[in-house]
Structures are given as structure tokens and as C-alpha cells.
Amino acid sequence: MPTRARHGREKEERRQSILQAAREVFFENGFYRATVDDVAGRAKVSKGTVYLYFESKETILALLLLEGLNELVENLEDAYAAAKTLSADERLRRLSRAYLSFFEEKPDYFRLLTATDRGRFQDSVEPSVYQEVLSASLKGLDWVGMAIQQGIDEGLFHCCDVRPAASILWATLNGVLDLMKHPLRREMVGLELEPLYQAALETVLQGLQSRE
Amino acid sequence: MPTRARHGREKEERRQSILQAAREVFFENGFYRATVDDVAGRAKVSKGTVYLYFESKETILALLLLEGLNELVENLEDAYAAAKTLSADERLRRLSRAYLSFFEEKPDYFRLLTATDRGRFQDSVEPSVYQEVLSASLKGLDWVGMAIQQGIDEGLFHCCDVRPAASILWATLNGVLDLMKHPLRREMVGLELEPLYQAALETVLQGLQSRE
Amino acid sequence: MPTRARHGREKEERRQSILQAAREVFFENGFYRATVDDVAGRAKVSKGTVYLYFESKETILALLLLEGLNELVENLEDAYAAAKTLSADERLRRLSRAYLSFFEEKPDYFRLLTATDRGRFQDSVEPSVYQEVLSASLKGLDWVGMAIQQGIDEGLFHCCDVRPAASILWATLNGVLDLMKHPLRREMVGLELEPLYQAALETVLQGLQSRE
Amino acid sequence: MPTRARHGREKEERRQSILQAAREVFFENGFYRATVDDVAGRAKVSKGTVYLYFESKETILALLLLEGLNELVENLEDAYAAAKTLSADERLRRLSRAYLSFFEEKPDYFRLLTATDRGRFQDSVEPSVYQEVLSASLKGLDWVGMAIQQGIDEGLFHCCDVRPAASILWATLNGVLDLMKHPLRREMVGLELEPLYQAALETVLQGLQSRE
DNA sequence: GATGAATGAGCGTTCATTCAT
DNA sequence: GATGAATGAACGCTCATTCAT
């Protein structure tokens, strides 16, 4: 059934083009300033068509967030797997680099994830979806945790508990990205993102290795 | 001119009561869900009066953010000054504690600062105001930087540059607070804020002391 | 031409199944709340197919109304014919009972007939169709009129004109049904439909018999 | 405080002019076809202003219905009171005439009351309001009932129960008005409203007087 | 200075109808 | 003939802002 297959593909393409349009206008104007009209206009479809593919504006946001987060998680997974034979600290460097790459390639997801007023989102979307977004946003912690556990097993780290250690590292990376995500703020700090990010990683690694 | 003075005082009081009302409704409902009607109602003035004292809803937000940030900066300043005779690492512990206190006492400012969709804010407010907010949000960096400089001078830290070191520490503290600010997320991580915050601080301090 | 014939039959079946679906959803949700999507879904055809068989949503309503009215008229006709040998007042009792049966078996037609906002209907449907609905809704009058004429001829009624007499009886029956069609209203009136309906009929019959 | 008083009066006038506009457009187009924009345009105010005075479109309808019904009830009350010294049948004639006058002077209320799809109305309006409308629409029954009770006491009517008798009379009057409210139907029936209405009244009065 | 009535553009969403396949 | 994706006008409603009093 080639026609059916074609139809399916075209539908999926249309869906994707609406999602892409939403990504663009949400990023450009922020979720609240962006209107469904904007999204429709950008995707060159009518407003009604948007609602043919998606339940609501909030649903679109949720999908974008999940898409972004899932991509990040995949990147982390790959980085972790690719560094299978390496030492714990090297695996953590790979994980961190994967996170940085994601940030640099999809900066919009970051803005969306961090800058969207949660209040409205939280109660416009099904609780399960909200939970899913929240939990996906913490997946990174798990991979970092596994690498740190390896480091503890290998005797590299002397801290006694994995979860706090992983949280500290993850929070630090997030903190640096958040601090540097805004051009104006980058300018005010007077540093480049990449070297600072690397330095932060090494500092925390050092700190975790020192016996206290 | 006692009348003029009284007028001035009354005007200022009215202004403050509107700001207070705005604080409450913005915190309760989030900036976008809160309406100017809500603010006026809470302040027991008419909607027109709100616009007599403030240019726009966004201006009010900017003022609240600045207020919060200034209070934080004062706390940091005090903590820094009070620890005048202490060693650099101890001064940094005092600064960190001051930040944590602020977060715990005014958690709403945090939400407002981090969770407000920037798009609308940025271009509804005069650029100078936006700059001011941004720069105030980086004041913490300066105080941390001064303590770290002291640490370098004292030979405590072996890193060569103050600004990156300060940024790393500040970003870490921010990252931890951000990670733990949401109850649901706190639950998912399974840790308490305070011990994690302390551990993060000590880890970074250790990392900055190690020679690389 | 068996193929043609089969096609014709299939077409008619499809048409009927759409009408049946429309009956169901119009009755369940009311005409305005029901959507063409609902009708198509219930009939398990596509929305486009509905428009292949019917000009518009209103046309479907008109057809349903006519169907209902025709059924009523047939019932009245049968009741009239079956009471061929009876006296005029008995024939009127049979006609009335037939009307009541129709109301009790198809209460939804009543709702549709009386509760549908006429505005849209009247000018969404061809004038001839509207006329047809209106005239069908008056067919009952004709049969009642014939029985009353018989009564006049037999010397039972002393009123001089058939049409007013028939109108009065018909209006009374309608009025009672309308008054009692809503459960909440039935409860408020505190009476049962059937005895009230009978009493109303007898009262009017008495009234028509009295010499004034 | 003349200003306050003037303000109040002006506000009330504005309110009334919106109600009047709603009456017009609801009557012209039916409730569902009429849009809030239409109402606003007719009242020469903005759409927002409509919502300043009324909660919702349905609320406006409810108010119009109640207004109409209350006016009717007042008319009936007056007619009943004015006929204090008359015999029961004469009082019923006065009540009926009052009802007819109301119908002729405010035909729109009738259309609105009988032709509005209840489904949507019923669940767009608070249950208490719906109850109120329903109960007001039955107030006429009470006055008719009182006059009939008087007729029973005076020995005029021989029926044993007031409520059915009142319901029959009221239903008949309603049935006639409903039958004749539409010009096209009036034409088809070939009678004038007023004589038919009178004849119906007399017929039922006769019927109620006859011993069965 | 203070009011609050008025505005009107804009919102997210719906749905009868059309039309390319 | 049948489909169902696409349309787009219209809907009821909101709310930051203005301005006559």
C-alpha cells in the first residue's frame, strides 16, 4: 500500500513542520508571547490545522520539551556507552562534553526548559505529562551517577555517597550553562562558555577526588 | 514645608503598598497569571492608580526583582564584611550561607527570577532597567570574587584566575538551588537541600585548592 | 440492471445509516451540541461522505423532523381509520391517544421539534423544505378537523366552525405535552402526564358540546 | 452626593441599553446565531464592556427570560387583584386577557422562552438560575389556580381538583399562543389569534363547568 | 491625585464545509 | 464514490492600558 505509506509520511512531515514552526516561534518570542496564529503562519498552515495535529498549545510545548530532553538523554547514553573502556573521570568528561554539545546545538531547548513560567504549564497539561518532563529533566543525573559509582569502585573518588556527588556535578554543569546562556550576561562575566565549562568540570572532579 | 513632606510620605506609602500587593499576587499565581486587577484589588486601590505609580506590569516586576536582588547583595555584603578577619575559605562559607538563607527566606524571588518568561519582560521594560536587573543578578559574583582573590593572595587557591574561579563557585551554588527549588524535583532526587548545598560548596573549595 | 439496482439499494442503506446516526447524536446532545463529526463517527463513514448524501447539517435535521412528523401523521391516520364506525367523540379520543403514544415513544422528536432554535434552521434550509416541515406539523389539525366535522354533522358539537374547534383541541393537547415534557417541570407541577392529558381532552370535548 | 447618584443612574442606563440590544439581536437571530459582538455593536459599546456588565452570554439570556417572566407575573397579579370582586370565570377571563396582552406586546420573550435550545442553556447557567426560570415560567399556573379554587368554592366548577384544572387551562392558552405565534403558521391555520384565543378560553371554561 | 468604566486587540479553540486524492 | 486533511471565519472571553470625570 504505497499510498497509505505516502500518506503516513506526509502526515508525519506536516506534523514535524508544525513542531518546527512552534520551536522557532516559541524560541523567538517565548511561549507566552508566541501565539498559535504565529505557529500556524510560520508552518504555512491554517490555525485549524494546528489543532488537527495537536491538542493544545501546551501540548506542543510539552512535546518539544520531551523531544529535547530525550535527545539529550540519548546523547548522554551514547557518550556513556562509547566510553565503556575508559576510566571513570574520562567517562564523566565525555558525558559533560555531550551535554555541552547538546546545549550548543539546541540552545532553544534550554531557554524553553528554564525560562517557561511553570505555573500555567503545570496545570494546562496532564499531570502524567508534567511528571514525564520533570523526570526526563533528571535523567542526566542517572548517567552521571553511574560513572561516579564506577569512580568510587575504582577508588578514584573518596566521597561516600553517589547521589550527592552526581547531583553536585550535574548542578554545577547546569549552573554554568545557565549563567552563560544569555549573551548579555556572557559579556558581563567576560568569559567564554567553553573554557569555563571545562574548568568547572575539572574543579568538581578534583574536589570529589580529594579526601576530605 | 510639612505638607509637601507629608504628601511625599503618603505617596511613598501608597507606592509601597502597591508593590507589596504585587509581590503577593505575583508570588501566588506567577507573573502571567496575576492580573493588574488582582494587584489593584489586593492593594485596595483602583486599577488606574496602579498606573499612576508604575508604568506597566513589567515595570513592577522589574522593581520587585531589583528589590530582591538588592536585598541579596546586601546580605552578601554584610556576610563578607562580618567575616573580615577570617580566612578566605571561611569567608566563602559565610557568603554561601548568606545566599542559602536568602533562598530559604525568599524562595519566591527565586521563582520569579528564574521562571519568568524573559521574552516579554526584556522588551516591555526599558533596556537600562533590564541591564540593571541583569547586572544585579551578577553582583554575587563580585563578592565571591573578592574572597577568592584573598584566597589566591593567601596561597590557598592555586588556580591562576579569579573570575573563572568565582564563576564556577557561584554557578555551582545556583545550580544546586535551581535543582532543588521544586518540591517534586527534590523528592525525585531524594536529597535534602541543605546538606547537598554544603557538600557542593566544600567540593568546589577542595577542587579550587588542589593543584592541577 | 441488477448492478444499478444493487448500487441504489446500497446507497439508500448508507443514507439511512447516516440518518440513524444523526437521530442518535441529535437526540443525545441536542442539535447544536452535536457535530457533523459526531454523526459521521457514529455512522462509521467519513465526514465528507455525510456531505455526499446531505446538503448540510440543517437539511438532515429537516429530514428527521419530517420523518417524525410523517410517522405521527400515519399514526393519526391509522387511528382515524380504525375508528371508522365509532362516534365522533370516540374517534377524537383515539386520535388523541395516538398522539400521546407518539409522544411517549418518540419523545426526542418532540424536543427537536419544539426546542430547536428556529433562526438558523429557517434560513439554512430551502424555503420549500421549511414550509413542508411547518405544514406537516399541522397535519394533525386536519384529522382532528375531520372528526370534529363528523361530530357537528352528528349534532354532537354545537360550535359553528370546524377549524377553530379543531385548533382549540389540538392546541390543548400540544400545550399539555409541552407543559409536561420536562421532568423538572413535571415534578414542579406535581401531576402525571397521562391523567392530565386525558382530563384536558375530556374538558375540551365537554366544552365543545355545551351550547353557549 | 449627586455625582454618585448620577453615576449609578448612568451605569444602570448602560446596563439597560446592553440588555435592550441583546433583546433585539437575540430575537432577530435567535440566541445561538446572535453573537456577543452583535450585542455589543447594537448597544454601541465594545465587547469588553458587555462583559463588564454581564458574566456571560447565557447570563444575559437568563436575565431577559426572568425579566419577561416577571413582567408577565406582575400583569397576572394585577389582573387578578383588579378583578377582586368579580366571579371566578370573569377573573379567569381577566387573567387570560393579561396573558394575551403580554404575548402581543412582548412576542420576543415568547420566542426566546420556547425556541431556545435548552440543552446548552441548562448547563451554561447556574442550576439555581435555571430553576428560577423554570419556576417563574410556572407562576401563571398559581394565579389561575387561585381563581379556579374560587370557582370551585362558588360552585361554578364541578371538577374536584384545582391543580389539574389550572394546568389544563394554562396549557390550552399556551398551546394556542404557541400554535399562532408564527406568522406562516397563522396563515396556514387561516384564523386570527385573538378570536381563537377567546374561543379556546370559553371552551375550557365550559368544559370545567359541565358535570361529567 | 484618584477613580473605574471603557476599550479593543488578542487569546485559544471549534466546526461546518470543501476538495485533492 | 469515498475519504479525511485542510480550511478559516467565527466563537466566547480576557486584560493591560487609557482617559473622562
Side-chain angles (χ1 to χ4, degrees):
Chain A
M1 255 167 284
T3 331
R4 176 88 67 90
R6 176 127 54 84
H7 277 192
R9 198 178 329 123
E10 273 167 16
K11 241 191 109 160
E12 185 52 27
E13 272 166 20
R14 178 85 72 162
R15 208 184 119 91
Q16 286 304 329
S17 86
I18 294 172
L19 271 180
Q20 179 53 30
R23 235 187 311 264
E24 290 171 24
V25 303
F26 285 2
F27 179 48
E28 280 167 23
N29 306 325
F31 180 67
Y32 283 106
R33 307 201 68 192
T35 70
V36 175
D37 265 309
D38 293 340
V39 174
R42 182 72 62 106
K44 283 180 178 133
V45 298
S46 74
K47 198 158 36 162
T49 301
V50 173
Y51 283 90
L52 211 57
Y53 286 87
F54 303 98
E55 270 176 32
S56 71
K57 198 189 169 194
E58 274 80 14
T59 303
I60 299 179
L61 176 60
L63 286 171
L64 289 178
L65 294 180
L66 282 174
E67 257 189 31
L69 288 166
N70 286 334
E71 204 182 310
L72 169 58
V73 169
E74 273 174 37
N75 288 0
L76 293 176
E77 218 165 331
D78 291 350
Y80 186 80
K84 202 183 304 186
T85 60
L86 299 180
S87 62
D89 58 330
E90 201 52 39
R91 291 187 101 167
L92 287 167
R93 283 190 191 92
R94 300 290 172 100
L95 283 171
S96 299
R97 197 169 310 146
Y99 193 15
L100 180 63
S101 299
F102 174 78
F103 173 85
E104 286 178 330
E105 274 156 34
K106 316 264 173 172
D108 13 353
Y109 285 122
F110 235 81
R111 294 256 321 239
L112 232 42
L113 274 162
T114 56
T116 299
D117 188 351
R118 285 292 158 73
R120 192 115 94 186
F121 179 58
Q122 184 161 0
D123 48 45
S124 300
V125 119
E126 287 183 23
S128 67
V129 175
Y130 187 67
Q131 274 258 359
E132 202 183 343
V133 171
L134 219 58
S135 110
S137 77
L138 291 177
K139 275 277 167 59
L141 261 179
D142 297 338
W143 292 102
V144 170
M146 287 177 65
I148 286 191
Q149 182 63 56
Q150 178 187 338
I152 292 173
D153 296 344
E154 289 172 355
L156 181 67
F157 299 131
H158 304 291
C159 56
C160 19
D161 212 352
V162 198
R163 297 181 67 83
S167 299
I168 290 166
L169 182 51
W170 191 245
T172 298
L173 300 181
N174 271 319
V176 171
L177 294 178
D178 191 65
L179 183 69
M180 304 293 279
K181 74 171 183 242
H182 198 302
L184 206 49
R185 203 135 47 147
R186 210 147 53 222
E187 193 190 317
M188 284 170 147
V189 173
L191 296 169
E192 292 300 313
L193 167 60
E194 227 164 306
L196 182 64
Y197 186 83
Q198 299 293 355
L201 168 62
E202 295 303 331
T203 302
V204 173
L205 285 181
Q206 284 288 341
L208 291 174
Q209 286 169 51
S210 319
R211 54 188 67 243
E212 204 171 326
Chain B
M1 258 163 286
T3 330
R4 177 91 65 92
R6 173 129 53 84
H7 275 194
R9 196 174 337 117
E10 274 168 14
K11 241 189 102 166
E12 184 53 25
E13 272 165 21
R14 178 93 69 157
R15 209 184 119 91
Q16 286 303 328
S17 85
I18 294 172
L19 271 180
Q20 178 54 30
R23 227 187 319 263
E24 290 171 23
V25 303
F26 287 1
F27 288 169
E28 281 168 23
N29 307 324
F31 180 67
Y32 281 103
R33 312 188 67 134
T35 70
V36 175
D37 265 308
D38 293 340
V39 174
R42 183 74 63 106
K44 284 175 178 139
V45 298
S46 74
K47 197 154 40 161
T49 302
V50 173
Y51 282 87
L52 220 51
Y53 285 88
F54 303 98
E55 271 176 32
S56 69
K57 197 187 168 194
E58 274 81 12
T59 304
I60 300 178
L61 175 60
L63 289 169
L64 289 179
L65 294 181
L66 282 175
E67 259 190 28
L69 289 166
N70 286 335
E71 201 181 312
L72 168 59
V73 169
E74 273 173 39
N75 288 0
L76 294 175
E77 221 164 329
D78 291 350
Y80 187 80
K84 202 183 304 185
T85 59
L86 300 179
S87 63
D89 57 330
E90 201 51 40
R91 292 187 101 167
L92 286 168
R93 282 188 193 93
R94 301 291 172 99
L95 283 171
S96 300
R97 199 168 311 147
Y99 192 17
L100 180 62
S101 299
F102 174 78
F103 173 86
E104 286 177 330
E105 273 156 34
K106 316 263 172 170
D108 300 317
Y109 280 122
F110 235 82
R111 283 195 35 196
L112 231 46
L113 273 161
T114 56
T116 300
D117 191 346
R118 286 292 156 73
R120 184 116 93 188
F121 180 59
Q122 184 161 359
D123 51 45
S124 299
V125 118
E126 288 183 24
S128 68
V129 176
Y130 187 66
Q131 276 256 359
E132 203 183 341
V133 171
L134 222 56
S135 113
S137 77
L138 291 177
K139 275 277 168 59
L141 261 179
D142 296 340
W143 292 101
V144 169
M146 287 177 64
I148 287 191
Q149 182 63 55
Q150 178 188 339
I152 293 174
D153 295 345
E154 289 171 356
L156 180 67
F157 299 131
H158 305 290
C159 58
C160 17
D161 212 351
V162 197
R163 298 182 67 82
S167 299
I168 289 166
L169 182 50
W170 191 246
T172 297
L173 299 182
N174 271 319
V176 171
L177 293 179
D178 191 65
L179 182 69
M180 305 292 280
K181 74 170 182 246
H182 197 304
L184 206 49
R185 208 140 43 150
R186 209 147 53 222
E187 191 190 318
M188 283 169 146
V189 173
L191 298 169
E192 293 299 314
L193 167 61
E194 227 164 305
L196 183 63
Y197 186 83
Q198 299 293 356
L201 168 63
E202 295 303 330
T203 303
V204 173
L205 286 182
Q206 285 288 341
L208 291 174
Q209 286 170 50
S210 321
R211 54 187 66 243
E212 203 168 331
Chain C
M1 257 166 288
T3 331
R4 178 89 68 91
R6 174 130 53 83
H7 275 193
R9 197 178 332 120
E10 275 168 14
K11 243 188 99 162
E12 184 52 26
E13 273 167 19
R14 178 92 70 159
R15 211 182 117 89
Q16 286 304 328
S17 84
I18 294 172
L19 271 179
Q20 179 54 29
R23 228 187 319 263
E24 290 171 23
V25 303
F26 287 0
F27 288 169
E28 281 168 23
N29 308 322
F31 180 66
Y32 282 104
R33 312 187 66 131
T35 69
V36 176
D37 264 308
D38 293 341
V39 174
R42 184 72 64 106
K44 284 179 180 139
V45 299
S46 75
K47 198 156 36 163
T49 302
V50 173
Y51 282 88
L52 219 54
Y53 285 87
F54 303 98
E55 269 175 33
S56 69
K57 197 186 166 193
E58 273 80 12
T59 304
I60 299 178
L61 176 59
L63 288 169
L64 289 178
L65 293 181
L66 283 174
E67 257 189 30
L69 289 166
N70 287 335
E71 202 182 310
L72 168 59
V73 169
E74 274 174 37
N75 289 358
L76 294 175
E77 217 164 333
D78 291 350
Y80 186 82
K84 203 182 303 186
T85 61
L86 301 178
S87 63
D89 57 331
E90 202 52 41
R91 291 187 102 167
L92 286 167
R93 283 191 192 91
R94 301 290 172 100
L95 282 172
S96 301
R97 197 169 311 146
Y99 193 15
L100 181 62
S101 299
F102 174 77
F103 173 85
E104 285 177 331
E105 274 157 34
K106 318 261 173 174
D108 301 314
Y109 280 121
F110 235 81
R111 284 197 34 197
L112 231 44
L113 273 161
T114 56
T116 299
D117 189 348
R118 285 295 156 70
R120 185 116 91 188
F121 181 59
Q122 184 161 359
D123 50 44
S124 300
V125 119
E126 286 182 27
S128 65
V129 175
Y130 187 67
Q131 277 255 359
E132 203 182 343
V133 171
L134 221 57
S135 113
S137 76
L138 292 177
K139 276 275 168 60
L141 261 179
D142 296 339
W143 292 102
V144 170
M146 288 177 65
I148 287 190
Q149 181 63 56
Q150 177 187 339
I152 293 173
D153 296 345
E154 291 171 355
L156 180 67
F157 299 131
H158 305 288
C159 57
C160 19
D161 212 351
V162 199
R163 298 182 66 82
S167 299
I168 289 165
L169 182 50
W170 191 246
T172 297
L173 300 182
N174 272 319
V176 171
L177 294 179
D178 192 63
L179 182 69
M180 304 292 278
K181 73 168 183 248
H182 197 302
L184 206 50
R185 211 145 34 157
R186 208 147 55 221
E187 191 191 319
M188 283 169 145
V189 172
L191 297 169
E192 292 299 313
L193 166 61
E194 227 164 306
L196 183 63
Y197 186 84
Q198 300 292 355
L201 168 63
E202 295 304 330
T203 303
V204 174
L205 286 180
Q206 286 287 342
L208 291 174
Q209 287 169 50
S210 322
R211 55 188 67 241
E212 203 167 332
Chain D
M1 254 167 282
T3 332
R4 179 87 67 90
R6 174 130 52 85
H7 277 194
R9 197 177 331 121
E10 273 166 16
K11 240 190 109 163
E12 185 51 27
E13 272 165 21
R14 178 84 72 160
R15 207 184 120 92
Q16 286 304 329
S17 87
I18 294 172
L19 271 180
Q20 180 54 30
R23 236 186 310 264
E24 290 171 25
V25 304
F26 286 2
F27 180 48
E28 281 168 23
N29 306 325
F31 179 67
Y32 284 106
R33 304 201 70 191
T35 71
V36 176
D37 265 308
D38 293 341
V39 174
R42 183 72 63 106
K44 284 183 179 133
V45 298
S46 73
K47 196 163 28 168
T49 302
V50 173
Y51 284 91
L52 211 56
Y53 286 87
F54 303 98
E55 270 176 33
S56 69
K57 196 188 170 195
E58 273 82 11
T59 303
I60 300 179
L61 176 59
L63 286 170
L64 289 178
L65 294 180
L66 282 174
E67 258 190 28
L69 288 167
N70 287 334
E71 203 181 309
L72 168 58
V73 169
E74 272 175 38
N75 288 359
L76 294 175
E77 220 164 331
D78 290 350
Y80 186 81
K84 204 182 305 187
T85 61
L86 300 179
S87 62
D89 59 329
E90 201 52 40
R91 291 187 101 168
L92 287 167
R93 283 190 191 89
R94 301 290 172 101
L95 282 172
S96 300
R97 197 169 310 144
Y99 193 15
L100 180 62
S101 300
F102 173 78
F103 173 85
E104 285 177 331
E105 274 156 34
K106 316 264 172 175
D108 15 353
Y109 284 122
F110 234 81
R111 294 256 322 239
L112 234 41
L113 274 161
T114 55
T116 299
D117 188 352
R118 285 292 158 74
R120 192 115 93 183
F121 179 58
Q122 183 161 1
D123 48 46
S124 301
V125 120
E126 286 184 26
S128 68
V129 175
Y130 187 67
Q131 276 258 358
E132 203 183 342
V133 171
L134 221 57
S135 111
S137 77
L138 292 178
K139 275 277 168 59
L141 261 178
D142 297 339
W143 292 103
V144 170
M146 287 176 64
I148 286 191
Q149 181 64 55
Q150 177 188 338
I152 293 173
D153 296 344
E154 289 172 356
L156 181 66
F157 299 131
H158 305 290
C159 56
C160 17
D161 211 353
V162 197
R163 297 183 67 82
S167 299
I168 289 166
L169 181 50
W170 191 246
T172 297
L173 300 182
N174 270 319
V176 171
L177 294 179
D178 191 65
L179 182 69
M180 304 294 277
K181 73 169 183 245
H182 198 302
L184 206 48
R185 206 135 49 148
R186 209 147 54 222
E187 191 190 319
M188 283 170 147
V189 173
L191 297 168
E192 292 300 313
L193 167 61
E194 226 163 308
L196 182 63
Y197 185 84
Q198 300 293 355
L201 168 63
E202 294 303 331
T203 302
V204 173
L205 284 181
Q206 285 287 341
L208 290 174
Q209 286 169 53
S210 321
R211 53 189 68 241
E212 203 170 331

